[in-house]
Amino acid sequence: QAPLSRLLREFEQIQREQREANGCTERREWWERRSHLDLRMQSLIQSLDQEVLGCWRGLLLPQDPGNSPLDEQELAQLLQELQECGWDSP
C-alpha cells in the first residue's frame, strides 16, 4: 500500500472526526477530542515528511527567487529521473 494513499485516508478520517467533535457541547470532551486529533495530525505530518517527501522536502523550502536550490547539473539530473518515473511537465 502506497504511503500517500494511507496518509490521505488518515487525513480524511481526522477531518471526519473533527466535524463530529465540533458538535460536542461538553467543553472537557471537546478538548480531549481536539487534543487527540492534534496528536494524530502531528503524526500524519511527520509521516508525510518522512515517508512521502523524504529527501525531496528540501525542494519545498522557500528560496530566493533568483537562486535555484539545485545547480544546473543537479536540476537536469532531477528532471531526467522524474521523466523516467512518468512525470512529463516541469
Side-chain angles (χ1 to χ4, degrees):
Q1 171 173 324
L4 184 57
S5 297
R6 179 180 52 80
L7 294 173
L8 289 175
R9 278 197 306 280
E10 172 68 2
F11 182 63
E12 289 172 2
Q13 182 65 30
I14 290 171
Q15 287 180 314
R16 211 172 5 260
E17 291 179 29
Q18 173 58 42
R19 286 189 293 273
E20 292 172 9
N22 285 344
C24 183
T25 57
E26 185 186 326
R27 177 180 268 181
R28 181 181 176 147
E29 183 181 352
W30 184 90
W31 276 110
E32 287 173 357
R33 286 179 169 193
R34 184 66 254 163
S35 295
H36 177 71
L37 290 170
D38 285 350
L39 290 174
R40 284 177 59 194
M41 193 66 196
Q42 179 183 12
S43 176
L44 183 137
I45 291 169
Q46 289 171 342
S47 294
L48 178 66
D49 186 47
Q50 295 166 359
E51 297 174 30
V52 177
L53 297 176
C55 64
W56 301 107
R57 69 181 173 267
L59 295 174
L60 299 176
L61 295 173
Q63 296 289 323
D64 179 6
N67 293 330
S68 172
L70 302 172
D71 67 26
E72 291 300 318
Q73 184 178 5
E74 291 172 321
L75 183 58
Q77 179 65 31
L78 174 59
L79 289 174
Q80 179 182 346
E81 290 176 14
L82 289 171
Q83 288 171 343
E84 289 171 3
C85 293
W87 190 62
D88 61 357
S89 176

